[in-house]
Amino acid sequence: MRYLKWKLSHGTWGTHPVATIAAMGGRANTGWAVDDDGYRIAYLWEDVDITQLDSAWDVTEVTEAQALTFCQQFYAEAEVQDGGTISGPPPEDIE
């Protein structure tokens, strides 16, 4: 698995490259953490040339440690799980 950091096409809203990556033969999933500028961590499951993606998304590859640090700024107990995804906060109780 590869870790990516990207932003939505218009900062905190807009499109993301998941469909484009799928059209290139890859599979990507967005993570739960997003910062005030619209950046988020995503997971790339196949080898895809990310340099071919639209620059509006500002896609960069990051290390597992960088992805974890990004997520921990929103949930301090985040950790890398089996399979490589990063855990998020537990769901809130609904009464």
Side-chain angles (χ1 to χ4, degrees), residues 2 9 12 17-18 23 26 32 34 40 45 47 52 58 60-61 64-65 71-73 76 91 95:
R2 292 165 59 190
S9 60
T12 57
V18 171
W32 55 270
V34 58
R40 64 186 61 228
W45 305 96
D47 191 26
Q52 301 302 310
D58 193 20
T60 57
E61 187 166 356
E64 180 181 277
C71 293
Q72 286 175 333
Q73 62 184 322
E95 295 183 33

Side-chain angles (χ1 to χ4, degrees), residues 18-69:
V18 171
T20 303
I21 289 170
M24 296 168 67
R27 181 172 54 102
N29 299 91
T30 57
W32 55 270
V34 58
D35 70 12
D36 291 339
D37 294 323
Y39 283 93
R40 64 186 61 228
I41 295 298
Y43 311 103
L44 181 62
W45 305 96
E46 284 86 21
D47 191 26
V48 173
D49 182 5
I50 63 171
T51 64
Q52 301 302 310
L53 296 171
D54 189 326
S55 62
W57 295 312
D58 193 20
V59 179
T60 57
E61 187 166 356
V62 296
T63 66
E64 180 181 277
Q66 290 169 320
L68 180 59
T69 298

